[in-house]
Amino acid sequence: MRSVIFAEIAPRSAIEWLLAIDVVELSWEIQRYRLLRHKLLDHYRQAAIEHSLRHVDLAGLPPELEEAATCHIRQNAQAWRTDRRSATEIEARLATYGYDPAAINAEVYLQAREVFLVFEALLNTAQNRRLSLLREIDNRRHAKYPLRGRRDLLTSALAPSPGPQPTRYSEVFLGDTATATCDGG
């Protein structure tokens, strides 16, 4: 990805190289956030399956059996995650009770909403920063007065200008009247 981005941006100056490097780093950061968000949703998908199984399996069960059933449900949810055949059976059983993939996805997003919003904010921030860097590169290339030909103007602007010499007096304003006071000398 790095070489493709560098080829696309084709930095022309040291500043553009620094900006391009930041664009690459932000692109990798965005990729990491997307992978983490996907892993997070997978984790919550197992929790959603477990939650759905509780609704199906605990309905009408005597209270003294709920603890053992909850343990069994947790094992089934783990099996759903690790064993494809178990997953198919569990999904088919849930579908007979109205828990189709859309209902399970809704439960996933409901359970993961706070953490999901954090990842969305991180992604949006990184994407906005990357876009800002790309605009900065574009602005530098299309500036009316490019930086390279103006070094003498910049140096003269940054050089100390001859201004008023420091005095030993400063003016203190009190209301509408100004009085001169001596500054220690």
Side-chain angles (χ1 to χ4, degrees):
M1 178 172 16
R2 179 180 178 180
S3 59
V4 172
I5 291 173
F6 286 156
E8 180 69 27
I9 294 175
R12 300 177 190 166
S13 68
I15 297 296
E16 284 188 12
W17 271 105
L18 291 174
L19 293 171
I21 290 169
D22 286 345
V23 169
V24 168
E25 291 299 318
L26 284 168
S27 297
W28 281 113
E29 185 176 326
I30 289 167
Q31 189 67 21
R32 283 189 298 271
Y33 288 150
R34 287 178 179 156
L35 287 171
L36 287 171
R37 181 182 62 184
H38 181 72
K39 294 276 187 198
L40 174 81
L41 291 177
D42 278 347
H43 169 74
Y44 279 101
R45 186 166 306 282
Q46 179 181 340
I49 292 290
E50 183 177 334
H51 184 264
S52 301
L53 285 172
R54 283 176 196 236
H55 279 273
V56 170
D57 293 344
L58 294 181
L61 201 63
E64 59 271 4
L65 298 177
E66 282 186 14
E67 187 176 330
T70 301
C71 181
H72 185 68
I73 290 169
R74 193 170 293 120
Q75 290 171 350
N76 282 342
Q78 182 64 34
W80 170 87
R81 184 180 186 131
T82 58
D83 182 20
R84 189 68 230 150
R85 193 175 66 131
S86 295
T88 305
E89 290 172 8
I90 289 170
E91 288 170 1
R93 186 161 55 108
L94 288 174
T96 61
Y97 289 95
Y99 290 97
D100 62 350
I104 293 171
N105 283 340
E107 182 65 31
V108 168
Y109 284 107
L110 182 65
Q111 289 187 16
R113 68 183 172 269
E114 290 178 15
V115 180
F116 186 76
L117 289 175
V118 169
F119 274 99
E120 285 299 308
L122 289 170
L123 273 166
N124 287 336
T125 301
Q127 289 170 339
N128 287 336
R129 287 180 13 225
R130 181 174 61 179
L131 187 59
S132 175
L133 290 171
L134 291 170
R135 282 188 187 131
E136 176 65 25
I137 292 170
D138 190 54
N139 288 343
R140 288 180 160 280
R141 290 183 180 174
H142 297 96
K144 188 173 182 179
Y145 301 105
L147 186 62
R148 286 184 188 254
R150 300 180 49 213
R151 288 203 178 166
D152 56 326
L153 180 62
L154 280 175
T155 3
S156 65
L158 294 175
S161 62
Q165 297 298 318
T167 62
R168 296 176 58 194
Y169 296 98
S170 66
E171 293 191 17
V172 178
F173 292 92
L174 301 171
D176 293 329
T177 62
T179 60
T181 60
C182 181
D183 287 337

